[in-house]
Amino acid sequence: MTAQAGQPVRLFKKVAVIGAGLIGSSLLRVVKERGVATSASAYDASDAVRNRLRELAICDTVSDTAREAVEGADLVVLAVPVGACGTVAAIIGKHLRAGAIVTDVGSVKGSVAADVAPYIPENAAFVPGHPIAGAERSGPDAGRGDLFANRWWILTPLDTSPLDAVDKLGRFVEAIGAELEIMDTEHHDMVLAITSHIPHLIAYNIVGTAADLESVTKSEVIKFSAGGFRDFTRIAASDPTMWRDVFLNNREAVLEMLTRFSEDLTGLRKAIRLGDGEMLHKLFSRTRKIRREIIESGQEVAAPDFGRDQGAASGDAKAEG
Amino acid sequence: MTAQAGQPVRLFKKVAVIGAGLIGSSLLRVVKERGVATSASAYDASDAVRNRLRELAICDTVSDTAREAVEGADLVVLAVPVGACGTVAAIIGKHLRAGAIVTDVGSVKGSVAADVAPYIPENAAFVPGHPIAGAERSGPDAGRGDLFANRWWILTPLDTSPLDAVDKLGRFVEAIGAELEIMDTEHHDMVLAITSHIPHLIAYNIVGTAADLESVTKSEVIKFSAGGFRDFTRIAASDPTMWRDVFLNNREAVLEMLTRFSEDLTGLRKAIRLGDGEMLHKLFSRTRKIRREIIESGQEVAAPDFGRDQGAASGDAKAEG
């Protein structure tokens, strides 16, 4: 609110966003709303998305090539799936203007750093980044100007990232309403493996398991999903390509965290088999506290049931009759 | 809304609710709001809860013993943890009036049927039941009169349950705004194992795993929880005693479903290890459809992110500044 209400902070002359899905289109919206750049251009590999972008009018120019989009840009944001960052960098690298800052928004930083850095010329800067924000919807219509508000945006500078570029990108992150965090790529990938990648993996997994049962029909799973299952389907509805790329590119950290998860699950299975109520009660009491801490930290709503039945009622397919 | 607006349907003279937690107190509220009983009494084993119930004034009588609460009641609802149902039944069995209907709200039906049935006299009826509704909060203050609205309420009649009692209880379920479903105890326990018990188990498990890591601090887990982890903490904040009892009493079905879940997870792990992007993309695309079906069935809100950032904003600890 502060940045919107006051004088706009024009940090860049031209921001180019490559990839206009949920994240890219949200970024275009907030850049426009908050006036942090004089102009914004966008490119997306899909004809349909480019056409839709023109209709939405959330940026000044929709380019027909990535090369055209980045021409003259002093900030270039790669908002494509993790596995596509290297390809895009190879295309745009030679066309970056001197002094341009390049960043990305991928959920894996080690592989993106390795894939992109070789294509960035010496007179430009590359600072990998990752906003911890998202939703289960994809595409340019799903974007929202407030998607990053009050959310962490992690930058993982490389040894080759110039300090002034890191500093300027940090100010950009704050100007669009996000909270800045700096860490190294390796630690980022470990933190995200447990806070995001494993949760998505087990959500995808249980939804798949439930759909394949013979003893319980899929329609029963759907019908009685309010018992807990439906919570998992939200993140299991995330973009398949983006998530395929995350798992292929953060393999080591994901496999390590998955080992921990499976070890603990084996312990729980044993407690159930042996009827060890004390062990179960102890774990279930500990985990309750963590949600309270997340709510206190401002990263979750305090309303019960995520506030589902209050404000979200308008989006409800079946209202109480 | 229909039942509230029209003439109240007084199905029972006296409803007795034993246990006034989230479910019991919600039931008391809706019974009062919709006038489905001439009077309602309640008992809870906790002095503090009984005192709070008197302050809340959501029932006509708060009794100091379970025996006193059920005296003269034509409907008795056991709203205690699954593991306590047998104990309560042993206490109240001899004091039930002729023709009384006894039901429960437990998430496991096989064990409750076995534990409770022996204590129900021949001139009373026992029809096990289970509303598929809940929230991560517990206690009499957490209850809401609309908790069961548009939610399924499963009855699992036994061979010994008189048909007229099943029918009357079914009308009660509908009169309080829930949707009636009938199935047998064994199938119920299998359906709930996958739609509710396993989701809770893996949510408890991942929250525990995350808290115990050495490579990622607990404060980092909390800080970056918006990447997916926070979704799991909601159900991992459910009542520890209730859930301990669920796992101890639905052991067979839970262990069977857990085996399926683990087999599938092993397959996913292998796909990640081998870099099998096609397998991952195929699963992630399938699971997306299931959420859509749950929303279409009316069991989930359509708003992205559960509508968290809209209606729930008032409950948010840290508003955008």
Side-chain angles (χ1 to χ4, degrees):
Chain A
M1 297 297 275
T2 320
Q4 271 179 311
Q7 201 64 253
V9 191
R10 274 197 210 290
L11 289 164
F12 293 100
K13 284 188 183 134
K14 178 182 171 184
V15 172
V17 175
I18 310 298
L22 171 72
I23 299 293
S25 74
S26 294
L27 196 54
L28 289 168
R29 285 177 172 90
V30 68
V31 162
K32 193 182 171 81
E33 283 169 20
R34 300 205 173 194
V36 284
T38 311
S39 77
S41 67
Y43 167 76
D44 193 283
S46 150
D47 292 347
V49 170
R50 291 200 305 279
N51 288 337
R52 184 63 188 140
L53 271 184
R54 292 190 178 100
E55 290 167 7
L56 288 172
I58 53 177
C59 59
D60 303 289
T61 320
V62 180
S63 304
D64 282 322
T65 63
R67 174 185 171 164
E68 187 190 310
V70 305
E71 258 165 24
D74 44 358
L75 175 63
V76 175
V77 183
L78 311 181
V80 296
V82 160
C85 285
T87 313
V88 173
I91 293 168
I92 63 166
K94 289 181 211 127
H95 307 286
L96 294 169
R97 61 167 272 184
I101 299 174
V102 178
T103 190
D104 75 302
V105 297
S107 193
V108 185
K109 298 273 59 76
S111 70
V112 169
D115 293 351
V116 171
Y119 298 106
I120 307 299
E122 284 203 1
N123 64 0
F126 175 45
V127 187
H130 178 209
I132 313 299
E136 65 275 26
R137 295 190 181 171
S138 320
D141 286 284
R144 284 166 32 192
D146 63 351
L147 189 69
F148 312 111
N150 195 30
R151 295 277 85 90
W152 292 99
W153 192 308
I154 302 174
L155 297 181
T156 61
L158 309 177
D159 292 343
T160 53
S161 307
L163 281 183
D164 57 345
V166 176
D167 179 62
K168 193 167 179 188
L169 193 54
R171 279 183 287 135
F172 172 79
V173 162
E174 290 172 338
I176 60 174
E179 305 212 31
L180 178 65
E181 179 79 16
I182 308 267
M183 59 174 81
D184 67 51
T185 55
E186 202 183 340
H187 189 61
H188 169 278
D189 290 356
M190 198 65 92
V191 170
L192 268 290
I194 189 67
T195 55
S196 179
H197 306 170
I198 295 293
H200 277 77
L201 193 71
I202 62 180
Y204 280 125
N205 192 65
I206 195 179
V207 177
T209 302
D212 289 343
L213 293 172
E214 309 86 40
S215 53
V216 178
T217 67
K218 209 180 84 177
S219 69
E220 286 176 317
V221 169
I222 290 167
K223 201 163 166 179
F224 304 114
S225 60
F229 181 78
R230 62 177 178 162
D231 280 22
F232 290 71
T233 63
R234 188 187 80 78
I235 62 178
S238 301
D239 184 67
T241 304
M242 172 194 155
W243 283 96
R244 176 200 64 196
D245 281 10
V246 166
F247 294 113
L248 295 179
N249 287 283
N250 198 22
R251 180 156 55 182
E252 305 310 320
V254 165
L255 291 179
E256 185 181 326
M257 292 299 172
L258 194 50
T259 299
R260 303 298 188 98
F261 174 83
S262 297
E263 281 171 10
D264 291 343
L265 195 59
T266 301
L268 263 182
R269 162 188 281 277
K270 192 173 171 186
I272 293 171
R273 191 166 51 75
L274 299 178
D276 185 350
E278 205 176 320
M279 186 274 199
L280 298 175
H281 196 276
K282 206 169 141 188
L283 172 66
F284 300 170
S285 303
R286 275 175 61 203
T287 52
R288 191 168 221 192
K289 287 186 198 132
I290 292 179
R291 180 166 182 83
R292 209 153 47 220
E293 290 170 348
I294 291 177
I295 292 169
E296 281 162 12
S297 79
Q299 293 302 313
E300 178 60 290
V301 295
D305 221 11
F306 304 119
R308 261 187 188 118
D309 292 327
Q310 279 85 55
S314 57
D316 205 336
K318 187 181 182 184
E320 193 194 348
Chain B
M1 298 295 274
T2 320
Q4 271 181 313
Q7 201 65 254
V9 191
R10 274 197 209 288
L11 289 165
F12 293 99
K13 283 186 183 136
K14 178 181 172 184
V15 172
V17 175
I18 309 299
L22 172 72
I23 299 293
S25 74
S26 293
L27 196 55
L28 289 169
R29 286 176 171 90
V30 68
V31 161
K32 193 182 171 84
E33 282 169 21
R34 300 205 171 193
V36 284
T38 310
S39 77
S41 67
Y43 167 76
D44 194 282
S46 149
D47 292 346
V49 170
R50 291 200 306 278
N51 288 336
R52 184 63 188 139
L53 271 184
R54 291 189 179 100
E55 289 167 8
L56 289 171
I58 53 178
C59 58
D60 304 287
T61 320
V62 179
S63 305
D64 281 322
T65 63
R67 173 184 172 163
E68 185 191 311
V70 305
E71 259 166 23
D74 44 357
L75 175 63
V76 175
V77 183
L78 312 181
V80 296
V82 161
C85 285
T87 312
V88 173
I91 294 168
I92 63 166
K94 287 182 212 125
H95 308 286
L96 294 170
R97 60 167 270 184
I101 299 174
V102 178
T103 189
D104 75 302
V105 297
S107 194
V108 184
K109 298 271 61 78
S111 70
V112 169
D115 292 351
V116 171
Y119 298 105
I120 307 300
E122 285 204 1
N123 63 358
F126 175 45
V127 186
H130 179 210
I132 313 299
E136 66 274 24
R137 297 191 179 170
S138 319
D141 285 284
R144 284 165 35 193
D146 64 351
L147 189 69
F148 311 111
N150 196 30
R151 296 275 86 90
W152 293 99
W153 192 307
I154 302 174
L155 297 181
T156 61
L158 309 178
D159 293 343
T160 53
S161 306
L163 282 183
D164 58 345
V166 176
D167 179 63
K168 192 167 181 187
L169 192 56
R171 280 184 285 136
F172 172 78
V173 162
E174 289 172 341
I176 61 174
E179 306 211 31
L180 178 65
E181 180 79 16
I182 307 267
M183 59 175 80
D184 66 51
T185 55
E186 202 184 339
H187 189 61
H188 169 278
D189 290 356
M190 198 65 91
V191 170
L192 268 289
I194 190 66
T195 55
S196 179
H197 307 169
I198 295 294
H200 277 76
L201 193 71
I202 63 182
Y204 280 125
N205 192 65
I206 195 179
V207 177
T209 302
D212 288 343
L213 293 172
E214 309 86 40
S215 53
V216 178
T217 66
K218 210 181 83 177
S219 69
E220 286 176 316
V221 169
I222 288 167
K223 201 163 167 179
F224 304 114
S225 60
F229 182 77
R230 62 176 177 162
D231 281 23
F232 290 71
T233 62
R234 189 187 78 79
I235 61 178
S238 301
D239 185 67
T241 304
M242 174 194 155
W243 282 96
R244 176 201 62 196
D245 282 10
V246 166
F247 294 113
L248 295 179
N249 286 283
N250 197 22
R251 180 156 56 182
E252 304 310 321
V254 165
L255 291 178
E256 186 182 326
M257 292 300 173
L258 194 51
T259 299
R260 303 296 188 100
F261 173 83
S262 297
E263 280 172 11
D264 291 343
L265 195 59
T266 301
L268 263 181
R269 162 187 281 276
K270 191 173 172 186
I272 293 171
R273 191 166 51 75
L274 299 177
D276 185 350
E278 204 175 320
M279 186 275 201
L280 298 176
H281 196 277
K282 206 169 139 188
L283 171 66
F284 300 172
S285 303
R286 275 175 61 202
T287 52
R288 192 168 220 192
K289 288 186 199 131
I290 292 178
R291 181 166 180 83
R292 213 154 43 221
E293 290 171 346
I294 291 177
I295 292 169
E296 283 161 10
S297 78
Q299 293 302 313
E300 177 61 289
V301 295
D305 221 11
F306 304 119
R308 263 187 186 116
D309 292 327
Q310 279 87 53
S314 58
D316 206 336
K318 188 181 182 185
E320 193 193 349

